[in-house]
Amino acid sequence: EAEVAQSPRYKITEKSQAVAFWCDPISGHATLYWYRQILGQGPELLVQFQDESVVDDSQLPKDRFSAERLKGVDSTLKIQPAELGDSAMYLCASTQGTSGANTQYFGPGTRLTVL
Amino acid sequence: GQSLEQPSEVTAVEGAIVQINCTYQTSGFYGLSWYQQHDGGAPTFLSYNALDGLEETGRFSSFLSRSDSYGYLLLQELQMKDSASYFCAVRSLGQNFVFGPGTRLSALP
């Protein structure tokens, strides 16, 4: 069964350093989402892509976060500089079709710890 | 804006029927999803309701009342492996999803 791939699974960094996370959605899935999930809370949408275009990045802290999906396939989320409050799980999800289907498939996530 | 409310915790014994409620406030409502997440794992899709009524998938059922902005997830014959966090998520006009705070379900032997 096809899965959403993410790497790394775990990342420990010091504050003020730069970090990057990678996501490869299920083949053929046009819509890709990045979420941040703080322990004990629900996932919070950071950015949504439709193919290579950003559909919604209203919740993305653009002073330090950036995301790209240059060829409309895999995607990278970057934080520079990292802050203590960025410690969280970063989840990538994808859905089939261009209109945003009902089922999101999540990757295993990247757990970020900022020291 | 959008907001969702769920109970923070639910506890029940094996074999029981468990209901997890979700109330929401949103504009441009499209549908309500439910996801299960085990500790350390990724959320996995359980169900989606766009219309009023009950949707059944095995031991899991999900209900939606659009007029009441309310839905619930029903788990029958609770098993230990059902211990996890459950999230409702509203799909809105912008095609994205807003997740609730989650309900931690604990199954007792």
Side-chain angles (χ1 to χ4, degrees), chain B residues 3-85:
Chain B
S3 66
L4 295 91
E5 290 187 9
Q6 302 178 236
S8 58
E9 294 182 0
V10 172
T11 302
V13 296
E14 275 188 296
I17 299 173
V18 173
Q19 179 172 318
I20 299 174
N21 299 320
C22 174
T23 57
Y24 59 87
Q25 290 185 321
T26 186
S27 57
F29 176 84
Y30 269 22
L32 186 70
S33 299
W34 288 92
Y35 286 80
Q36 178 192 62
Q37 186 178 31
H38 287 97
D39 286 348
T44 56
F45 173 81
L46 292 176
S47 67
Y48 177 79
N49 294 67
L51 302 175
D52 287 356
L54 192 68
E55 295 281 343
E56 298 183 48
T57 307
R59 293 189 298 115
F60 294 83
S61 303
S62 57
F63 173 83
L64 176 66
S65 169
R66 295 174 67 117
S67 60
D68 295 325
S69 298
Y70 163 75
Y72 65 73
L73 180 71
L74 195 70
L75 289 80
Q76 302 192 51
E77 299 175 18
L78 187 67
Q79 301 177 8
M80 296 299 293
K81 66 178 182 179
D82 297 329
S83 294
S85 292

Side-chain angles (χ1 to χ4, degrees), chain A residues 5-115:
Chain A
Q6 288 189 249
S7 67
R9 292 293 307 277
Y10 304 92
K11 179 69 177 179
I12 300 174
T13 190
E14 294 184 345
K15 63 180 181 179
S16 79
Q17 295 299 304
V19 292
F21 313 131
W22 177 79
C23 171
D24 192 11
I26 293 173
S27 179
H29 281 199
T31 308
L32 184 149
Y33 308 82
W34 282 102
Y35 290 91
R36 175 172 59 187
Q37 186 176 26
I38 295 170
L39 193 62
Q41 299 182 20
E44 173 194 4
L45 180 69
L46 292 174
V47 61
Q48 176 187 349
F49 287 93
Q50 186 68 50
D51 298 312
E52 68 276 7
S53 301
V54 173
V55 173
D56 184 353
D57 64 356
S58 58
Q59 301 301 313
L60 189 71
K62 298 181 187 63
D63 57 335
R64 298 185 300 109
F65 286 64
S66 63
E68 60 183 17
R69 194 184 183 198
L70 295 177
K71 297 183 179 180
V73 181
D74 59 337
S75 176
T76 302
L77 178 70
K78 297 179 182 178
I79 308 175
Q80 182 174 17
E83 296 181 352
L84 295 178
D86 296 332
S87 294
M89 176 76 86
Y90 289 82
L91 294 163
C92 179
S94 67
T95 59
Q96 194 172 22
T98 57
S99 61
N102 304 326
T103 303
Q104 293 185 95
Y105 296 88
F106 283 84
T110 296
R111 181 163 294 284
L112 174 66
T113 302
V114 182
L115 303 176

